[in-house]
Amino acid sequence: MKRTATVLLTALAPVSWGTTYAVTTQFLPADRPLFTALARALPAGLLLLALTRVLPRGAWWWKAAVLGALNIGAFFPLLFLSAYRLPGGMAAVVGSVGPLFVVGLSALLLGQRPTGRALLAGVVAAFGVSLVVLKAAGALDPVGVLAALASSASMSTGTVLTKKWGRPAGVGPLALTGWQLTAGGLLIAPLALLVEGAPPALDARAVGGYLYLALANTAVAYWLWFRGIGRLTATQVTFLGPLSPLTAAVVGWAALGQALTPVQLAGMALAFGATVAGQTTRSAQPQSFSSAEMNGRKDSMDLTGVSLRR
């Protein structure tokens, strides 16, 4: 029962990310993807740092920087680049191979041999997502495809390394999330300024949209995501990823008046079934835990229980 609750809470992260497209198109200034990525990451990271008042120590300075680059700083710009250069939905399809990346990286970095069931579920998930999001065929831009693959590989590598490194003793998932969001936001900031120039003028509607993205869509969602990585296997967590494009399709239908065809509904069923199957996969070898996880696995340190150290 406890594991089911963990899966459901972790699933709220990709569900939240599935609302990003609707919020971006309906509330935010057009053609400012890097500023949007910056507004999502850096304020959320600084807020979590202020709440936890915990800074990295020793090797965790560079580890937090690496994880922040992989999960945020590189992932966001590559994701937006692929979305702009590929025909509708293709970026989501290419990105949906993430579970397969994680299965392979888990074998390489965590010593978990991939199972046939996990590989099959990954293929079915990608196929289901393709049925949901693909529109009329268009020319594939090589740069866009490479960016989509790189964004998926970046997030997948960050997920596996987050599992491998765990957390320092006495540090909760909220502080770890703050470190990564801040590091990723600082990486995006100069790129956004160089490519897009000064921040745009914002009206009340845009401010509300950015507040939602920074707080619910990023601070809370990534906290739930990294919390889930600490309690589930990397493979189980990444198989929740397809819930993001599925949520985007449902929001588009419910809020934006977009139609859902029988083919899309069939794809949603396949992708959701693969997501459920991904939660029942087991590695062929015992999972290794970091020293922090072995030392009590204090995952109860959440929003109200993070150690307050200056």
Side-chain angles (χ1 to χ4, degrees), residues 69-107:
L70 291 170
N71 289 320
I72 308 295
F75 173 69
F76 279 179
L78 288 168
L79 183 67
F80 282 122
L81 176 62
S82 66
Y84 270 82
R85 298 187 68 108
L86 292 177
M90 181 57 72
V93 173
V94 179
S96 67
V97 301
L100 296 177
F101 278 137
V102 169
V103 168
L105 289 169
S106 294

PDB file of all heavy atoms in Angstrom, residues 69-107:
ATOM      1  N   ALA A  69      22.382  20.193 -14.349  1.00  0.00           N
ATOM      2  CA  ALA A  69      22.574  20.349 -15.793  1.00  0.00           C
ATOM      3  C   ALA A  69      21.796  19.291 -16.569  1.00  0.00           C
ATOM      4  O   ALA A  69      21.140  19.595 -17.567  1.00  0.00           O
ATOM      5  CB  ALA A  69      24.063  20.274 -16.128  1.00  0.00           C
ATOM      6  N   LEU A  70      21.858  18.053 -16.111  1.00  0.00           N
ATOM      7  CA  LEU A  70      21.204  16.967 -16.840  1.00  0.00           C
ATOM      8  C   LEU A  70      19.679  17.057 -16.746  1.00  0.00           C
ATOM      9  O   LEU A  70      18.981  16.925 -17.758  1.00  0.00           O
ATOM     10  CB  LEU A  70      21.679  15.616 -16.293  1.00  0.00           C
ATOM     11  CG  LEU A  70      23.126  15.240 -16.584  1.00  0.00           C
ATOM     12  CD1 LEU A  70      23.526  13.997 -15.781  1.00  0.00           C
ATOM     13  CD2 LEU A  70      23.333  14.989 -18.076  1.00  0.00           C
ATOM     14  N   ASN A  71      19.165  17.250 -15.552  1.00  0.00           N
ATOM     15  CA  ASN A  71      17.714  17.216 -15.339  1.00  0.00           C
ATOM     16  C   ASN A  71      17.014  18.517 -15.693  1.00  0.00           C
ATOM     17  O   ASN A  71      15.807  18.509 -15.972  1.00  0.00           O
ATOM     18  CB  ASN A  71      17.403  16.883 -13.879  1.00  0.00           C
ATOM     19  CG  ASN A  71      17.717  15.435 -13.537  1.00  0.00           C
ATOM     20  OD1 ASN A  71      17.460  14.531 -14.314  1.00  0.00           O
ATOM     21  ND2 ASN A  71      18.287  15.211 -12.362  1.00  0.00           N
ATOM     22  N   ILE A  72      17.746  19.630 -15.677  1.00  0.00           N
ATOM     23  CA  ILE A  72      17.117  20.933 -15.882  1.00  0.00           C
ATOM     24  C   ILE A  72      17.839  21.750 -16.959  1.00  0.00           C
ATOM     25  O   ILE A  72      17.267  22.086 -17.993  1.00  0.00           O
ATOM     26  CB  ILE A  72      17.096  21.757 -14.568  1.00  0.00           C
ATOM     27  CG1 ILE A  72      16.498  20.940 -13.420  1.00  0.00           C
ATOM     28  CG2 ILE A  72      16.331  23.063 -14.784  1.00  0.00           C
ATOM     29  CD1 ILE A  72      15.053  20.579 -13.586  1.00  0.00           C
ATOM     30  N   GLY A  73      19.096  22.085 -16.697  1.00  0.00           N
ATOM     31  CA  GLY A  73      19.814  23.046 -17.519  1.00  0.00           C
ATOM     32  C   GLY A  73      19.986  22.648 -18.969  1.00  0.00           C
ATOM     33  O   GLY A  73      19.889  23.495 -19.870  1.00  0.00           O
ATOM     34  N   ALA A  74      20.257  21.391 -19.242  1.00  0.00           N
ATOM     35  CA  ALA A  74      20.359  20.919 -20.613  1.00  0.00           C
ATOM     36  C   ALA A  74      19.018  20.402 -21.126  1.00  0.00           C
ATOM     37  O   ALA A  74      18.665  20.605 -22.286  1.00  0.00           O
ATOM     38  CB  ALA A  74      21.414  19.813 -20.713  1.00  0.00           C
ATOM     39  N   PHE A  75      18.261  19.753 -20.246  1.00  0.00           N
ATOM     40  CA  PHE A  75      16.998  19.139 -20.653  1.00  0.00           C
ATOM     41  C   PHE A  75      16.000  20.158 -21.190  1.00  0.00           C
ATOM     42  O   PHE A  75      15.412  19.968 -22.264  1.00  0.00           O
ATOM     43  CB  PHE A  75      16.398  18.379 -19.467  1.00  0.00           C
ATOM     44  CG  PHE A  75      15.026  17.838 -19.722  1.00  0.00           C
ATOM     45  CD1 PHE A  75      14.827  16.800 -20.627  1.00  0.00           C
ATOM     46  CD2 PHE A  75      13.926  18.367 -19.067  1.00  0.00           C
ATOM     47  CE1 PHE A  75      13.562  16.296 -20.869  1.00  0.00           C
ATOM     48  CE2 PHE A  75      12.654  17.867 -19.294  1.00  0.00           C
ATOM     49  CZ  PHE A  75      12.475  16.837 -20.208  1.00  0.00           C
ATOM     50  N   PHE A  76      15.780  21.257 -20.469  1.00  0.00           N
ATOM     51  CA  PHE A  76      14.782  22.242 -20.885  1.00  0.00           C
ATOM     52  C   PHE A  76      15.096  22.839 -22.260  1.00  0.00           C
ATOM     53  O   PHE A  76      14.242  22.824 -23.153  1.00  0.00           O
ATOM     54  CB  PHE A  76      14.671  23.358 -19.843  1.00  0.00           C
ATOM     55  CG  PHE A  76      13.817  23.005 -18.652  1.00  0.00           C
ATOM     56  CD1 PHE A  76      13.636  23.909 -17.620  1.00  0.00           C
ATOM     57  CD2 PHE A  76      13.192  21.774 -18.556  1.00  0.00           C
ATOM     58  CE1 PHE A  76      12.849  23.601 -16.519  1.00  0.00           C
ATOM     59  CE2 PHE A  76      12.404  21.452 -17.456  1.00  0.00           C
ATOM     60  CZ  PHE A  76      12.231  22.367 -16.440  1.00  0.00           C
ATOM     61  N   PRO A  77      16.305  23.418 -22.484  1.00  0.00           N
ATOM     62  CA  PRO A  77      16.570  24.001 -23.808  1.00  0.00           C
ATOM     63  C   PRO A  77      16.509  22.981 -24.939  1.00  0.00           C
ATOM     64  O   PRO A  77      15.995  23.284 -26.030  1.00  0.00           O
ATOM     65  CB  PRO A  77      17.996  24.571 -23.657  1.00  0.00           C
ATOM     66  CG  PRO A  77      18.141  24.822 -22.196  1.00  0.00           C
ATOM     67  CD  PRO A  77      17.407  23.699 -21.536  1.00  0.00           C
ATOM     68  N   LEU A  78      17.025  21.769 -24.720  1.00  0.00           N
ATOM     69  CA  LEU A  78      16.972  20.757 -25.771  1.00  0.00           C
ATOM     70  C   LEU A  78      15.529  20.359 -26.078  1.00  0.00           C
ATOM     71  O   LEU A  78      15.161  20.148 -27.241  1.00  0.00           O
ATOM     72  CB  LEU A  78      17.779  19.529 -25.351  1.00  0.00           C
ATOM     73  CG  LEU A  78      19.296  19.689 -25.358  1.00  0.00           C
ATOM     74  CD1 LEU A  78      19.955  18.505 -24.649  1.00  0.00           C
ATOM     75  CD2 LEU A  78      19.820  19.810 -26.780  1.00  0.00           C
ATOM     76  N   LEU A  79      14.714  20.267 -25.046  1.00  0.00           N
ATOM     77  CA  LEU A  79      13.315  19.914 -25.239  1.00  0.00           C
ATOM     78  C   LEU A  79      12.594  20.978 -26.058  1.00  0.00           C
ATOM     79  O   LEU A  79      11.853  20.662 -27.007  1.00  0.00           O
ATOM     80  CB  LEU A  79      12.637  19.741 -23.879  1.00  0.00           C
ATOM     81  CG  LEU A  79      11.170  19.307 -23.899  1.00  0.00           C
ATOM     82  CD1 LEU A  79      11.044  17.890 -24.449  1.00  0.00           C
ATOM     83  CD2 LEU A  79      10.578  19.389 -22.503  1.00  0.00           C
ATOM     84  N   PHE A  80      12.812  22.252 -25.723  1.00  0.00           N
ATOM     85  CA  PHE A  80      12.166  23.324 -26.465  1.00  0.00           C
ATOM     86  C   PHE A  80      12.681  23.392 -27.905  1.00  0.00           C
ATOM     87  O   PHE A  80      11.915  23.639 -28.838  1.00  0.00           O
ATOM     88  CB  PHE A  80      12.386  24.667 -25.761  1.00  0.00           C
ATOM     89  CG  PHE A  80      11.504  24.873 -24.569  1.00  0.00           C
ATOM     90  CD1 PHE A  80      12.038  25.102 -23.313  1.00  0.00           C
ATOM     91  CD2 PHE A  80      10.125  24.843 -24.700  1.00  0.00           C
ATOM     92  CE1 PHE A  80      11.220  25.299 -22.215  1.00  0.00           C
ATOM     93  CE2 PHE A  80       9.300  25.041 -23.603  1.00  0.00           C
ATOM     94  CZ  PHE A  80       9.842  25.267 -22.360  1.00  0.00           C
ATOM     95  N   LEU A  81      13.982  23.187 -28.096  1.00  0.00           N
ATOM     96  CA  LEU A  81      14.547  23.206 -29.443  1.00  0.00           C
ATOM     97  C   LEU A  81      13.902  22.128 -30.308  1.00  0.00           C
ATOM     98  O   LEU A  81      13.525  22.384 -31.462  1.00  0.00           O
ATOM     99  CB  LEU A  81      16.065  22.994 -29.376  1.00  0.00           C
ATOM    100  CG  LEU A  81      16.790  22.904 -30.727  1.00  0.00           C
ATOM    101  CD1 LEU A  81      16.627  24.197 -31.513  1.00  0.00           C
ATOM    102  CD2 LEU A  81      18.271  22.592 -30.508  1.00  0.00           C
ATOM    103  N   SER A  82      13.756  20.935 -29.759  1.00  0.00           N
ATOM    104  CA  SER A  82      13.139  19.847 -30.530  1.00  0.00           C
ATOM    105  C   SER A  82      11.679  20.155 -30.840  1.00  0.00           C
ATOM    106  O   SER A  82      11.190  19.876 -31.945  1.00  0.00           O
ATOM    107  CB  SER A  82      13.259  18.526 -29.764  1.00  0.00           C
ATOM    108  OG  SER A  82      12.495  18.548 -28.576  1.00  0.00           O
ATOM    109  N   ALA A  83      10.968  20.747 -29.885  1.00  0.00           N
ATOM    110  CA  ALA A  83       9.553  21.053 -30.100  1.00  0.00           C
ATOM    111  C   ALA A  83       9.368  22.090 -31.201  1.00  0.00           C
ATOM    112  O   ALA A  83       8.383  22.046 -31.949  1.00  0.00           O
ATOM    113  CB  ALA A  83       8.928  21.542 -28.801  1.00  0.00           C
ATOM    114  N   TYR A  84      10.317  23.023 -31.311  1.00  0.00           N
ATOM    115  CA  TYR A  84      10.204  24.065 -32.320  1.00  0.00           C
ATOM    116  C   TYR A  84      10.590  23.566 -33.716  1.00  0.00           C
ATOM    117  O   TYR A  84      10.101  24.087 -34.715  1.00  0.00           O
ATOM    118  CB  TYR A  84      11.086  25.257 -31.944  1.00  0.00           C
ATOM    119  CG  TYR A  84      10.370  26.283 -31.099  1.00  0.00           C
ATOM    120  CD1 TYR A  84      10.250  26.114 -29.728  1.00  0.00           C
ATOM    121  CD2 TYR A  84       9.804  27.412 -31.670  1.00  0.00           C
ATOM    122  CE1 TYR A  84       9.585  27.040 -28.945  1.00  0.00           C
ATOM    123  CE2 TYR A  84       9.137  28.348 -30.892  1.00  0.00           C
ATOM    124  CZ  TYR A  84       9.030  28.155 -29.538  1.00  0.00           C
ATOM    125  OH  TYR A  84       8.356  29.063 -28.745  1.00  0.00           O
ATOM    126  N   ARG A  85      11.453  22.559 -33.801  1.00  0.00           N
ATOM    127  CA  ARG A  85      11.983  22.151 -35.102  1.00  0.00           C
ATOM    128  C   ARG A  85      11.322  20.902 -35.678  1.00  0.00           C
ATOM    129  O   ARG A  85      11.573  20.563 -36.832  1.00  0.00           O
ATOM    130  CB  ARG A  85      13.502  21.922 -34.995  1.00  0.00           C
ATOM    131  CG  ARG A  85      14.279  23.165 -34.600  1.00  0.00           C
ATOM    132  CD  ARG A  85      15.778  22.908 -34.680  1.00  0.00           C
ATOM    133  NE  ARG A  85      16.214  22.716 -36.040  1.00  0.00           N
ATOM    134  CZ  ARG A  85      16.939  23.591 -36.737  1.00  0.00           C
ATOM    135  NH1 ARG A  85      17.259  24.755 -36.203  1.00  0.00           N
ATOM    136  NH2 ARG A  85      17.318  23.320 -37.971  1.00  0.00           N
ATOM    137  N   LEU A  86      10.509  20.221 -34.885  1.00  0.00           N
ATOM    138  CA  LEU A  86       9.874  18.995 -35.366  1.00  0.00           C
ATOM    139  C   LEU A  86       8.383  19.209 -35.557  1.00  0.00           C
ATOM    140  O   LEU A  86       7.771  20.037 -34.875  1.00  0.00           O
ATOM    141  CB  LEU A  86      10.109  17.850 -34.375  1.00  0.00           C
ATOM    142  CG  LEU A  86      11.551  17.356 -34.242  1.00  0.00           C
ATOM    143  CD1 LEU A  86      11.640  16.274 -33.170  1.00  0.00           C
ATOM    144  CD2 LEU A  86      12.067  16.820 -35.564  1.00  0.00           C
ATOM    145  N   PRO A  87       7.767  18.453 -36.487  1.00  0.00           N
ATOM    146  CA  PRO A  87       6.316  18.549 -36.662  1.00  0.00           C
ATOM    147  C   PRO A  87       5.577  18.114 -35.414  1.00  0.00           C
ATOM    148  O   PRO A  87       6.133  17.422 -34.552  1.00  0.00           O
ATOM    149  CB  PRO A  87       6.029  17.619 -37.850  1.00  0.00           C
ATOM    150  CG  PRO A  87       7.205  16.712 -37.928  1.00  0.00           C
ATOM    151  CD  PRO A  87       8.377  17.501 -37.422  1.00  0.00           C
ATOM    152  N   GLY A  88       4.318  18.525 -35.316  1.00  0.00           N
ATOM    153  CA  GLY A  88       3.513  18.330 -34.116  1.00  0.00           C
ATOM    154  C   GLY A  88       3.614  16.947 -33.507  1.00  0.00           C
ATOM    155  O   GLY A  88       3.325  15.946 -34.142  1.00  0.00           O
ATOM    156  N   GLY A  89       3.999  16.897 -32.251  1.00  0.00           N
ATOM    157  CA  GLY A  89       4.025  15.643 -31.512  1.00  0.00           C
ATOM    158  C   GLY A  89       5.272  14.799 -31.688  1.00  0.00           C
ATOM    159  O   GLY A  89       5.528  13.917 -30.877  1.00  0.00           O
ATOM    160  N   MET A  90       6.057  15.052 -32.742  1.00  0.00           N
ATOM    161  CA  MET A  90       7.207  14.183 -32.999  1.00  0.00           C
ATOM    162  C   MET A  90       8.233  14.275 -31.877  1.00  0.00           C
ATOM    163  O   MET A  90       8.869  13.268 -31.522  1.00  0.00           O
ATOM    164  CB  MET A  90       7.858  14.550 -34.331  1.00  0.00           C
ATOM    165  CG  MET A  90       9.063  13.689 -34.700  1.00  0.00           C
ATOM    166  SD  MET A  90       8.693  11.919 -34.757  1.00  0.00           S
ATOM    167  CE  MET A  90       7.707  11.846 -36.238  1.00  0.00           C
ATOM    168  N   ALA A  91       8.399  15.458 -31.298  1.00  0.00           N
ATOM    169  CA  ALA A  91       9.350  15.591 -30.191  1.00  0.00           C
ATOM    170  C   ALA A  91       8.943  14.709 -29.024  1.00  0.00           C
ATOM    171  O   ALA A  91       9.783  14.083 -28.375  1.00  0.00           O
ATOM    172  CB  ALA A  91       9.441  17.048 -29.744  1.00  0.00           C
ATOM    173  N   ALA A  92       7.637  14.635 -28.747  1.00  0.00           N
ATOM    174  CA  ALA A  92       7.164  13.785 -27.655  1.00  0.00           C
ATOM    175  C   ALA A  92       7.395  12.321 -27.962  1.00  0.00           C
ATOM    176  O   ALA A  92       7.716  11.526 -27.070  1.00  0.00           O
ATOM    177  CB  ALA A  92       5.678  14.035 -27.400  1.00  0.00           C
ATOM    178  N   VAL A  93       7.247  11.940 -29.229  1.00  0.00           N
ATOM    179  CA  VAL A  93       7.466  10.542 -29.618  1.00  0.00           C
ATOM    180  C   VAL A  93       8.931  10.164 -29.436  1.00  0.00           C
ATOM    181  O   VAL A  93       9.260   9.132 -28.840  1.00  0.00           O
ATOM    182  CB  VAL A  93       7.024  10.299 -31.070  1.00  0.00           C
ATOM    183  CG1 VAL A  93       7.405   8.885 -31.516  1.00  0.00           C
ATOM    184  CG2 VAL A  93       5.528  10.495 -31.205  1.00  0.00           C
ATOM    185  N   VAL A  94       9.823  11.007 -29.954  1.00  0.00           N
ATOM    186  CA  VAL A  94      11.250  10.712 -29.812  1.00  0.00           C
ATOM    187  C   VAL A  94      11.634  10.704 -28.335  1.00  0.00           C
ATOM    188  O   VAL A  94      12.393   9.849 -27.875  1.00  0.00           O
ATOM    189  CB  VAL A  94      12.093  11.739 -30.597  1.00  0.00           C
ATOM    190  CG1 VAL A  94      13.582  11.451 -30.425  1.00  0.00           C
ATOM    191  CG2 VAL A  94      11.731  11.708 -32.076  1.00  0.00           C
ATOM    192  N   GLY A  95      11.078  11.647 -27.562  1.00  0.00           N
ATOM    193  CA  GLY A  95      11.387  11.710 -26.143  1.00  0.00           C
ATOM    194  C   GLY A  95      10.838  10.545 -25.343  1.00  0.00           C
ATOM    195  O   GLY A  95      11.332  10.256 -24.252  1.00  0.00           O
ATOM    196  N   SER A  96       9.821   9.858 -25.898  1.00  0.00           N
ATOM    197  CA  SER A  96       9.201   8.763 -25.152  1.00  0.00           C
ATOM    198  C   SER A  96      10.064   7.509 -25.096  1.00  0.00           C
ATOM    199  O   SER A  96       9.677   6.524 -24.463  1.00  0.00           O
ATOM    200  CB  SER A  96       7.842   8.406 -25.759  1.00  0.00           C
ATOM    201  OG  SER A  96       7.977   7.855 -27.060  1.00  0.00           O
ATOM    202  N   VAL A  97      11.228   7.539 -25.740  1.00  0.00           N
ATOM    203  CA  VAL A  97      12.151   6.405 -25.628  1.00  0.00           C
ATOM    204  C   VAL A  97      12.926   6.471 -24.312  1.00  0.00           C
ATOM    205  O   VAL A  97      13.768   5.615 -24.054  1.00  0.00           O
ATOM    206  CB  VAL A  97      13.142   6.355 -26.816  1.00  0.00           C
ATOM    207  CG1 VAL A  97      12.396   6.235 -28.130  1.00  0.00           C
ATOM    208  CG2 VAL A  97      14.055   7.585 -26.832  1.00  0.00           C
ATOM    209  N   GLY A  98      12.619   7.469 -23.477  1.00  0.00           N
ATOM    210  CA  GLY A  98      13.307   7.617 -22.197  1.00  0.00           C
ATOM    211  C   GLY A  98      13.359   6.355 -21.361  1.00  0.00           C
ATOM    212  O   GLY A  98      14.427   6.011 -20.821  1.00  0.00           O
ATOM    213  N   PRO A  99      12.246   5.605 -21.219  1.00  0.00           N
ATOM    214  CA  PRO A  99      12.317   4.368 -20.441  1.00  0.00           C
ATOM    215  C   PRO A  99      13.356   3.384 -20.962  1.00  0.00           C
ATOM    216  O   PRO A  99      14.013   2.694 -20.168  1.00  0.00           O
ATOM    217  CB  PRO A  99      10.899   3.798 -20.556  1.00  0.00           C
ATOM    218  CG  PRO A  99      10.041   5.005 -20.708  1.00  0.00           C
ATOM    219  CD  PRO A  99      10.846   5.958 -21.557  1.00  0.00           C
ATOM    220  N   LEU A 100      13.541   3.335 -22.274  1.00  0.00           N
ATOM    221  CA  LEU A 100      14.552   2.424 -22.835  1.00  0.00           C
ATOM    222  C   LEU A 100      15.954   2.914 -22.495  1.00  0.00           C
ATOM    223  O   LEU A 100      16.846   2.103 -22.197  1.00  0.00           O
ATOM    224  CB  LEU A 100      14.365   2.312 -24.350  1.00  0.00           C
ATOM    225  CG  LEU A 100      13.047   1.694 -24.816  1.00  0.00           C
ATOM    226  CD1 LEU A 100      12.958   1.704 -26.336  1.00  0.00           C
ATOM    227  CD2 LEU A 100      12.911   0.264 -24.291  1.00  0.00           C
ATOM    228  N   PHE A 101      16.155   4.235 -22.534  1.00  0.00           N
ATOM    229  CA  PHE A 101      17.448   4.782 -22.114  1.00  0.00           C
ATOM    230  C   PHE A 101      17.733   4.401 -20.660  1.00  0.00           C
ATOM    231  O   PHE A 101      18.847   3.998 -20.316  1.00  0.00           O
ATOM    232  CB  PHE A 101      17.450   6.308 -22.247  1.00  0.00           C
ATOM    233  CG  PHE A 101      17.732   6.814 -23.626  1.00  0.00           C
ATOM    234  CD1 PHE A 101      16.984   7.860 -24.152  1.00  0.00           C
ATOM    235  CD2 PHE A 101      18.732   6.272 -24.401  1.00  0.00           C
ATOM    236  CE1 PHE A 101      17.233   8.345 -25.421  1.00  0.00           C
ATOM    237  CE2 PHE A 101      18.999   6.745 -25.686  1.00  0.00           C
ATOM    238  CZ  PHE A 101      18.242   7.789 -26.188  1.00  0.00           C
ATOM    239  N   VAL A 102      16.727   4.552 -19.800  1.00  0.00           N
ATOM    240  CA  VAL A 102      16.922   4.285 -18.377  1.00  0.00           C
ATOM    241  C   VAL A 102      17.193   2.814 -18.133  1.00  0.00           C
ATOM    242  O   VAL A 102      18.032   2.459 -17.288  1.00  0.00           O
ATOM    243  CB  VAL A 102      15.700   4.765 -17.563  1.00  0.00           C
ATOM    244  CG1 VAL A 102      15.769   4.249 -16.135  1.00  0.00           C
ATOM    245  CG2 VAL A 102      15.641   6.286 -17.556  1.00  0.00           C
ATOM    246  N   VAL A 103      16.508   1.936 -18.863  1.00  0.00           N
ATOM    247  CA  VAL A 103      16.765   0.501 -18.718  1.00  0.00           C
ATOM    248  C   VAL A 103      18.227   0.203 -19.039  1.00  0.00           C
ATOM    249  O   VAL A 103      18.910  -0.528 -18.306  1.00  0.00           O
ATOM    250  CB  VAL A 103      15.827  -0.313 -19.628  1.00  0.00           C
ATOM    251  CG1 VAL A 103      16.279  -1.771 -19.706  1.00  0.00           C
ATOM    252  CG2 VAL A 103      14.391  -0.253 -19.101  1.00  0.00           C
ATOM    253  N   GLY A 104      18.732   0.771 -20.125  1.00  0.00           N
ATOM    254  CA  GLY A 104      20.126   0.546 -20.494  1.00  0.00           C
ATOM    255  C   GLY A 104      21.102   1.162 -19.515  1.00  0.00           C
ATOM    256  O   GLY A 104      22.098   0.530 -19.128  1.00  0.00           O
ATOM    257  N   LEU A 105      20.837   2.398 -19.081  1.00  0.00           N
ATOM    258  CA  LEU A 105      21.732   3.057 -18.138  1.00  0.00           C
ATOM    259  C   LEU A 105      21.701   2.392 -16.768  1.00  0.00           C
ATOM    260  O   LEU A 105      22.715   2.373 -16.063  1.00  0.00           O
ATOM    261  CB  LEU A 105      21.345   4.532 -18.012  1.00  0.00           C
ATOM    262  CG  LEU A 105      21.659   5.409 -19.230  1.00  0.00           C
ATOM    263  CD1 LEU A 105      20.981   6.762 -19.094  1.00  0.00           C
ATOM    264  CD2 LEU A 105      23.163   5.586 -19.388  1.00  0.00           C
ATOM    265  N   SER A 106      20.550   1.849 -16.387  1.00  0.00           N
ATOM    266  CA  SER A 106      20.472   1.138 -15.108  1.00  0.00           C
ATOM    267  C   SER A 106      21.345  -0.109 -15.127  1.00  0.00           C
ATOM    268  O   SER A 106      21.951  -0.478 -14.117  1.00  0.00           O
ATOM    269  CB  SER A 106      19.021   0.765 -14.790  1.00  0.00           C
ATOM    270  OG  SER A 106      18.242   1.923 -14.561  1.00  0.00           O
ATOM    271  N   ALA A 107      21.393  -0.763 -16.286  1.00  0.00           N
ATOM    272  CA  ALA A 107      22.272  -1.922 -16.417  1.00  0.00           C
ATOM    273  C   ALA A 107      23.735  -1.503 -16.315  1.00  0.00           C
ATOM    274  O   ALA A 107      24.549  -2.177 -15.673  1.00  0.00           O
ATOM    275  CB  ALA A 107      22.010  -2.630 -17.743  1.00  0.00           C
TER     276      ALA A 107
END
